[in-house]
Amino acid sequence: WREGLVHPTVVAQHNMATYGISIRGDALATSGEDGSVSVRNLAAPGAPIVASLGHSYGVMDFWLDPGCRRAASGGFDGLVKLWKLPPDILDRASGEDVWRGTYFLSLAGHGGPVISVTADDDEILTTSFDGTLRRWTWAGCA
């Protein structure tokens, strides 16, 4: 039973529980109970770019678009936050304030923590502890 056993390595870590994960090409993003998102360039090992996303509590899930240009976060505070990311986000140095000016909208409507976020070019889908799945359109968020 030990043949082929894989020994995992830690590629991301938060100060508290890690909840969400999104991977797009060389970009790996994780979200955590500490209210932060960590973005790491898997092709260039080094320290991650960490940001506190302004949710009142932890960030349950984080969605990153395939081109790493847009992102959405869902938090314990019941909000979905939308982000426009800098085109060179994976080339930024750790600790650089890459998130300044990138937040552009909060979506309210869930009656409990947002536990999952996913999207495509047209819409954003979110689920919550309130038992609902909500559908939002990017067109309405511009």
Side-chain angles (χ1 to χ4, degrees):
W1 63 274
R2 291 189 177 264
E3 280 187 352
L5 184 64
V6 176
H7 298 282
T9 57
V10 175
V11 294
Q13 187 169 354
H14 288 265
N15 293 328
M16 299 170 85
T18 301
Y19 293 127
I21 183 168
S22 182
I23 188 165
R24 299 288 186 255
D26 290 332
L28 170 69
T30 58
S31 62
E33 186 176 357
D34 58 6
S36 73
V37 166
S38 168
V39 179
R40 181 179 298 272
N41 185 344
L42 295 174
I49 300 163
V50 177
S52 176
L53 296 185
H55 285 280
S56 300
Y57 305 102
V59 180
M60 292 292 291
D61 201 13
F62 187 77
W63 170 84
L64 189 60
D65 88 343
C68 297
R69 299 294 175 103
R70 293 186 299 189
S73 58
F76 271 106
D77 55 11
L79 297 175
V80 177
K81 294 195 175 205
L82 304 181
W83 309 86
K84 291 181 183 175
L85 304 180
D88 61 345
I89 189 167
L90 292 182
D91 300 324
R92 300 288 183 102
S94 176
E96 206 176 326
D97 191 1
V98 300
W99 303 88
R100 183 178 300 276
T102 63
Y103 161 76
F104 73 96
L105 189 64
S106 281
L107 305 175
H110 282 294
V114 176
I115 55 176
S116 67
V117 179
T118 192
D120 62 17
D121 288 340
D122 301 316
E123 60 190 16
I124 306 145
L125 298 173
T126 58
T127 62
S128 170
F129 282 8
D130 67 8
T132 64
L133 180 145
R134 294 194 181 267
R135 182 175 150 211
W136 321 80
T137 62
W138 285 106
C141 299

